[in-house]
Amino acid sequence: MLFLLISCFSFILLSKSLSSKHQHHHRERRLFPPWYEAFTTTFMTSWFQKGTLQILTSTMPLKKLKPKAKNLVWSSSTENQKEDHNKTTPSPSLLDLPELVLDCIFDRLQPAELCAMSGVCSSLRERCVSDYIWAKRMKGKWGKVIGDAAYREWQWYIALQNRSNLLNNQRNQSNLSFESVTKIWPFLSWFNIKPRAQKELKNGGLAVDSIMAWYLALETGRFSFPAQVYNRENGHAGFLLSCYDAKLSYDSKTDTFQARYSPHVRRSTEENISWDRLRAPPVDTCSYDLHISNSLFDLKPGDHIEIQWRRNREFPYGWWYGVVGHMESCNGNENHCRCQDTDTVMLEFKQYPSSSRWRKTMINRENHREVGNEGDGFYGGIRKLYNQQEISMWQSLWPNQVIE
C-alpha cells in the first residue's frame, strides 16, 4: 500500500511538471484523463484523513470511477451542494434529547459504559460522574454490605489522601532551591501546576469525595471497608451461626472478597468469601465494646436474637444466633407461660446438643452486663430480631447436623 501511495504521488508531480512545460503547445491535451486525477486526489485525501481501511473500500469499484468529463463536473457540483447543506444543517446530538429520555438512557448503562461515555465531551462527563447517577449503582451493588462504619472509613480515607497530596506538594516546592529555580525560570509555571496536574491525572479529573470515586475504589479493591462475615473460616464448626467483624477488600476477577480479622484470633485472613456471607454491621458498636441492649423487657419465648460472645476478654465479640426459651419452671404451655414477667431470660442455642454447656445460658433483664467465665466464655449485649429477612438469613446457615 505504501508503494502504491508513493507511485501515485510521483505521477501527480510528473503530470504537473509536464503540463506546465507544454501548456502553450498542448493546452487542450492532458497527460492523464480527468477521472484519474480525481481518483488520485480522493486517494490521497482518504489516506491522510480516514485511514487505510476506507481507502481499500474506496478503491474496490475502480471501473465506476471513469465517468465522462461532463458527469464529473456535475457530480463535483452536487457534492459541493451536499457539503454546503451539511454545513448549514448540523447533525442531531444525543444531548438534544429530552431530559426524561436521557435519564432513561443513563439508568440502563453499566458502570463501565458510564466511565467510557464520560470521556466523550464535557457535557456528557458532567452527567456521567454526577452523584445522582452513581448513587443508584452504589445502592444496587454495595448497599447490602456498606454501612455507617464503612462510610466513616471512607471519609478517613479521603482525608488521608488529601493530606498526603498536600505534603507531597509542600515537599516538591521545598526541594526547589533558588539556584535551581533560576535555571528553570522559563518553566517555573509548569512546576507550580505539576502537583495539581498529577492529582487530576491520577483521579481522571474526578472529585475524590464523589460517589463515583468511592464506587471505583471499592470495585478495584483499593479501599478496604469494615463489614461482618457469617460463619467465618469457611464454616468452621467453632464459628457456625456466628457473624464477626472484618476488613474486606473486593476482587473483581473472582467476584469474591478477602477478609482480615482481628489479630488476636488464630487465623487473621480468609479468601474467596461470597456475597451471601456478608452484611453491613446492624449496630454501631465496636467489636470490643458491650452493646447496650434496649429490648430486654420485650423478650419472650420464641423470639429470635443475636448475642455478643467472646472466648476471653482479650478477644473481640462476635454475634451469635439464638432463640429465647422457656424457664425451667415453665412447662411451655402458652396459656400458662409467665416467662416474660420474670427477671431472667433463658437463651437457647439449638445448634448444640442438649447435653452441651453451650446449649443454654441465662441473663438478667434489669441489670444486664457482661457475664461468663474463662471456661464458658463471656456473653455481652443482645439484639432482638424483628426483621424476617435477618431471621431467614440465619436459618439458611443452619448446619446439617448438630454441633458437638
Side-chain angles (χ1 to χ4, degrees):
M1 181 58 68
L2 182 60
F3 177 77
L4 180 59
L5 171 65
I6 297 173
S7 302
C8 294
F9 190 72
S10 302
F11 280 130
I12 294 173
L13 294 178
L14 180 60
S15 63
K16 295 293 183 180
S17 61
L18 291 176
S19 60
S20 60
K21 290 181 180 179
H22 303 284
Q23 184 175 5
H24 61 282
H25 295 292
H26 305 281
R27 179 174 296 272
E28 300 293 332
R29 186 177 177 182
R30 295 174 179 266
L31 183 62
F32 297 102
W35 64 267
Y36 188 84
E37 294 183 3
F39 166 71
T40 53
T41 303
T42 305
F43 184 91
M44 296 296 295
T45 304
S46 300
W47 176 273
F48 290 106
Q49 293 183 354
K50 299 182 180 180
T52 310
L53 181 62
Q54 293 190 9
I55 296 171
L56 292 174
T57 55
S58 64
T59 56
M60 290 179 62
L62 185 58
K63 294 182 180 180
K64 295 183 179 181
L65 294 175
K66 295 182 179 181
K68 296 181 181 180
K70 294 182 179 180
N71 293 338
L72 181 62
V73 175
W74 178 83
S75 61
S76 62
S77 62
T78 305
E79 291 177 357
N80 292 335
Q81 292 178 0
K82 290 181 179 180
E83 291 179 358
D84 295 339
H85 178 72
N86 292 335
K87 291 179 180 179
T88 56
T89 306
S91 58
S93 171
L94 176 66
L95 298 174
D96 295 333
L97 295 174
E99 291 293 325
L100 182 60
V101 177
L102 285 175
D103 289 341
C104 292
I105 293 174
F106 286 115
D107 284 342
R108 287 167 171 77
L109 294 179
Q110 297 298 322
E113 296 169 339
L114 282 174
C115 293
M117 185 171 284
S118 65
V120 175
C121 65
S122 58
S123 298
L124 286 177
R125 178 176 180 79
E126 184 178 353
R127 287 177 174 271
C128 292
V129 303
S130 66
D131 286 349
Y132 172 77
I133 291 291
W134 284 93
K136 299 178 181 179
R137 274 78 181 171
M138 177 65 75
K139 183 179 180 180
K141 183 169 184 177
W142 298 97
K144 176 187 173 184
V145 298
I146 294 295
D148 294 337
Y151 179 75
R152 288 194 302 269
E153 193 82 12
W154 172 247
Q155 297 301 314
W156 278 106
Y157 181 84
I158 294 173
L160 289 175
Q161 273 196 327
N162 291 335
R163 182 186 179 190
S164 177
N165 292 331
L166 179 61
L167 292 176
N168 289 335
N169 294 349
Q170 294 176 351
R171 189 179 299 111
N172 291 336
Q173 293 176 0
S174 62
N175 290 336
L176 292 176
S177 62
F178 178 77
E179 182 179 356
S180 60
V181 168
T182 57
K183 293 180 180 179
I184 58 172
W185 181 260
F187 308 100
L188 183 59
S189 60
W190 184 86
F191 277 95
N192 287 336
I193 67 171
K194 185 178 179 180
R196 176 171 54 85
Q198 286 180 341
K199 180 180 178 181
E200 291 178 354
L201 289 175
K202 183 178 180 180
N203 298 319
L206 182 65
V208 70
D209 58 346
S210 65
I211 297 180
M212 179 180 177
W214 190 12
Y215 186 99
L216 296 179
L218 289 168
E219 192 75 17
T220 56
R222 290 187 290 107
F223 173 64
S224 298
F225 61 96
Q228 293 181 347
V229 182
Y230 290 102
N231 291 356
R232 55 173 293 179
E233 298 189 18
N234 276 329
H236 187 279
F239 295 101
L240 287 177
L241 294 183
S242 69
C243 198
Y244 275 80
D245 286 27
K247 270 291 193 66
L248 298 167
S249 59
Y250 180 64
D251 184 0
S252 59
K253 295 181 180 179
T254 60
D255 194 27
T256 58
F257 294 84
Q258 182 185 37
R260 297 194 306 274
Y261 300 105
S262 170
H264 293 288
V265 297
R266 59 182 181 180
R267 183 180 176 184
S268 59
T269 61
E270 181 181 354
E271 297 180 348
N272 299 321
I273 301 174
S274 57
W275 285 85
D276 57 353
R277 290 179 54 202
L278 303 180
R279 74 174 183 181
V283 293
D284 193 13
T285 304
C286 176
S287 58
Y288 287 90
D289 296 337
L290 178 70
H291 173 67
I292 306 303
S293 305
N294 56 7
S295 58
L296 293 177
F297 290 94
D298 297 334
L299 295 177
K300 62 184 183 298
D303 286 345
H304 301 265
I305 59 98
E306 293 179 10
I307 187 170
Q308 289 177 310
W309 182 87
R310 58 183 174 181
R311 170 68 69 179
N312 57 56
R313 286 191 168 94
E314 295 181 357
F315 280 32
Y317 284 114
W319 288 96
W320 293 73
Y321 172 73
V323 294
V324 179
H326 292 274
M327 301 296 295
E328 293 181 355
S329 58
C330 179
N331 60 6
N333 189 331
E334 295 182 358
N335 297 326
H336 301 89
C337 178
R338 295 291 181 268
C339 294
Q340 190 174 2
D341 300 330
T342 61
D343 294 334
T344 57
V345 180
M346 177 69 72
L347 302 179
E348 288 192 73
F349 305 94
K350 295 183 178 180
Q351 63 268 35
Y352 298 101
S354 301
S355 58
S356 174
R357 59 177 177 171
W358 313 108
R359 173 74 180 216
K360 295 181 180 180
T361 189
M362 289 191 297
I363 62 169
N364 191 296
R365 293 180 192 267
E366 296 184 357
N367 188 23
H368 176 59
R369 57 183 182 272
E370 185 183 61
V371 294
N373 53 61
E374 294 291 337
D376 297 335
F378 296 88
Y379 295 89
I382 296 177
R383 288 184 61 235
K384 179 179 178 179
L385 301 181
Y386 298 94
N387 190 340
Q388 184 60 40
Q389 186 176 2
E390 284 188 288
I391 299 173
S392 299
M393 181 62 196
W394 282 113
Q395 292 175 343
S396 68
L397 300 172
W398 198 268
N400 296 327
Q401 58 185 2
V402 177
I403 304 173
E404 298 294 338

